[in-house]
Amino acid sequence: MDFKLALLLGSLRRVRETRNLYPCGDDQKSPLERAIDIIHGGEVTINSERKTFREATPEVAAVDEKLTHLNSCQDAIRNCDKKEDLANLIEDRNVARRQAFQVMKDFMDVCNQLPIEERLNDLKKMINSITSGYQSLVQPAGPSEGSPEEVYDQYKAWLDLKTKKLKSYWKETDESLDTWRGLLAEMEQAFSFSSDSEFEAQNLDSTVQQLLVAMETELVISRQGYEPKVPLNPEILKQRHAELQLESEVLTKTVQAVLHDAREEATFLEQLSSHCKNYQEKIDVLEEWLDNKPNMEELQTLQKKIKVTRSKLRHLLVDLRDGEEDPDLLGDKTVEELRNDIAGFQEQLLGHYTTEDEHLVRCLLHS
């Protein structure tokens, strides 16, 4: 009797676990059904339109293209060896910076409407649940056979038939369990001095056996490759053996498809989250410089002054050289006056160069 009670408790535990995998209640779903619902549930409403996460997410390539162009503009500034080209290069860079900032901001405006972390957590929990619950069916990661929707439809059709079949076995198990509970209640009353109950002990063994057979039969029908712990109806075992190949194919394909889709989307969301973090950091940096950029008009005006001053200085130096050779060429000017003029222009030019350097430093700090 002790042995049978141990078997009974073991079967009860296994039935409880198995019914979670294949629930038959109208409002209950199997873990695979819930997983498929999660995969199909990856939709959000953006601008009153229902879209999947992938459909709703802006193209990363468009953002990266603008950032690549911005980097090229910055490299051109750093590598520029002609100061007269710098103003145009900086202006090009400022335009590229504004474009990169805007495309990243547009990207983030959309992504901030997406519950990325919540969705990612749901997928990870589901992956762990399926991997644990269907451990024997999990295969190395890889593409599933056929389209996922075909696999899911096939699973649901198979599950409908299996659920209908399981309900009859559940009913038989539940009835046997009720009989056993009733017997236990009678036994409890029989062991009371104040009770007139006439408990018949000979029913005990047959009731235990009936419950064991009912539960083990349900387990054989429910679980793949389950080896019953008590002898069962050979016809049921034969029929079950014939069903196993199709069931194994359906479940394996479904588990594979669910895990493939879930892992693929989880990877996509992790990458999306990484892009969002990266773009937000760049937005924070660029935003500081958008309205705090060097005045290119001042630099351009200054460079024109430098050209004019250098030109005048060159002419004065030529005049000085000619005047030193032939004083009559100086006209009203003396050599000393000419040298003073040259010194004045040299001082102006030095001041212009100093101011230009300050402008260039500010420009380069923005690159």
Side-chain angles (χ1 to χ4, degrees):
M1 190 64 185
D2 289 345
F3 173 70
K4 281 196 173 182
L5 285 175
L7 279 178
L8 197 66
L9 291 172
S11 295
L12 274 167
R13 176 179 52 79
R14 288 188 291 274
V15 167
R16 190 182 303 117
E17 293 171 353
T18 304
R19 287 191 177 188
N20 288 329
L21 291 177
Y22 302 105
C24 292
D26 294 335
D27 58 344
Q28 295 176 306
K29 290 188 175 183
S30 72
L32 276 177
E33 280 185 294
R34 292 196 297 271
I36 293 170
D37 287 346
I38 289 174
I39 290 173
H40 287 159
E43 294 185 343
V44 291
T45 301
I46 302 293
N47 298 326
S48 302
E49 186 178 353
R50 293 292 292 173
K51 295 182 178 180
T52 65
F53 269 74
R54 288 182 183 273
E55 292 170 343
T57 306
E59 286 292 332
V60 172
V63 182
D64 288 344
E65 181 182 351
K66 294 297 183 183
L67 288 173
T68 299
H69 178 57
L70 174 58
N71 289 333
S72 297
C73 291
Q74 291 173 329
D75 288 340
I77 293 174
R78 282 189 284 267
N79 298 327
C80 178
D81 55 4
K82 294 181 180 179
K83 289 189 290 186
E84 57 269 24
D85 296 337
L86 197 56
N88 289 333
L89 292 176
I90 290 175
E91 189 60 34
D92 290 344
R93 189 277 316 280
N94 290 342
V95 172
R97 175 183 286 161
R98 172 67 67 178
Q99 291 175 344
F101 174 85
Q102 191 59 52
V103 75
M104 285 191 294
K105 194 170 184 307
D106 291 343
F107 185 96
M108 291 302 299
D109 286 345
V110 174
C111 288
N112 286 335
Q113 300 180 60
L114 304 176
I116 297 174
E117 293 303 320
E118 179 183 343
R119 173 71 176 169
L120 184 57
N121 288 335
D122 287 344
L123 287 170
K124 287 181 176 179
K125 288 179 183 177
M126 181 262 280
I127 290 171
N128 290 335
S129 173
I130 296 301
T131 303
S132 173
Y134 299 88
Q135 190 172 9
S136 63
L137 300 174
V138 176
Q139 296 182 351
S144 57
E145 298 181 25
S147 73
E149 293 309 316
E150 290 176 353
V151 173
Y152 298 152
D153 289 343
Q154 185 183 20
Y155 169 74
K156 289 179 179 179
W158 168 84
L159 186 62
D160 285 343
L161 293 175
K162 185 176 181 70
T163 300
K164 290 176 183 177
K165 185 175 183 179
L166 278 176
K167 281 183 177 180
S168 65
Y169 287 98
W170 275 37
K171 184 174 182 292
E172 188 173 336
T173 300
D174 291 344
E175 288 175 351
S176 297
L177 185 59
D178 287 341
T179 301
W180 169 245
R181 285 173 178 161
L183 193 63
L184 290 178
E186 291 178 13
M187 187 189 303
E188 183 182 9
Q189 288 185 357
F191 282 90
S192 171
F193 290 114
S194 61
S195 173
D196 296 331
S197 173
E198 296 182 2
F199 176 71
E200 296 184 9
Q202 63 267 26
N203 294 333
L204 190 61
D205 191 64
S206 61
T207 304
V208 169
Q209 184 65 23
Q210 180 185 357
L211 179 56
L212 270 174
V213 169
M215 288 193 295
E216 289 295 306
T217 301
E218 180 182 327
L219 288 168
V220 166
I221 299 300
S222 301
R223 288 189 171 189
Q224 277 196 304
Y226 180 78
E227 293 294 333
K229 305 300 184 283
V230 296
L232 300 180
N233 186 331
E235 287 300 318
I236 292 178
L237 295 176
K238 182 179 178 180
Q239 182 183 2
R240 178 59 180 152
H241 181 74
E243 298 171 348
L244 281 176
Q245 184 174 355
L246 173 62
E247 181 172 306
S248 178
E249 290 177 0
V250 170
L251 286 175
T252 300
K253 284 182 180 180
T254 306
V255 169
Q256 190 78 346
V258 164
L259 291 179
H260 176 266
D261 284 355
R263 286 167 176 160
E264 185 177 62
E265 185 177 353
T267 299
F268 168 76
L269 292 178
E270 286 173 343
Q271 292 172 345
L272 179 60
S273 181
S274 177
H275 283 305
C276 288
K277 181 180 178 182
N278 181 34
Y279 293 158
Q280 188 58 56
E281 289 174 354
K282 291 183 182 297
I283 286 173
D284 294 340
V285 172
L286 291 184
E287 192 168 24
E288 178 183 352
W289 299 107
L290 290 179
D291 299 319
N292 183 24
K293 56 188 179 183
N295 190 327
M296 299 310 300
E297 291 183 3
E298 289 183 8
L299 179 61
Q300 290 169 337
T301 300
L302 183 60
Q303 288 176 335
K304 289 178 182 178
K305 287 182 180 179
I306 290 174
K307 286 183 180 180
V308 171
T309 304
R310 288 175 61 184
S311 177
K312 289 180 178 180
L313 185 57
R314 279 196 301 270
H315 284 96
L316 288 174
L317 289 171
V318 171
D319 290 344
L320 177 61
R321 184 188 61 197
D322 293 342
E324 288 176 335
E325 293 177 357
D326 185 358
D328 293 336
L329 295 175
L330 294 177
D332 296 334
K333 288 274 187 181
T334 65
V335 170
E336 189 62 29
E337 289 174 335
L338 197 57
R339 285 176 177 166
N340 288 336
D341 289 343
I342 290 172
F345 277 108
Q346 286 175 329
E347 187 176 351
Q348 281 185 35
L349 190 60
L350 180 61
H352 290 333
Y353 279 141
T354 301
T355 305
E356 183 191 36
D357 286 343
E358 293 172 355
H359 273 281
L360 292 176
V361 168
R362 286 198 295 272
C363 291
L364 291 173
L365 285 175
H366 284 67
S367 64

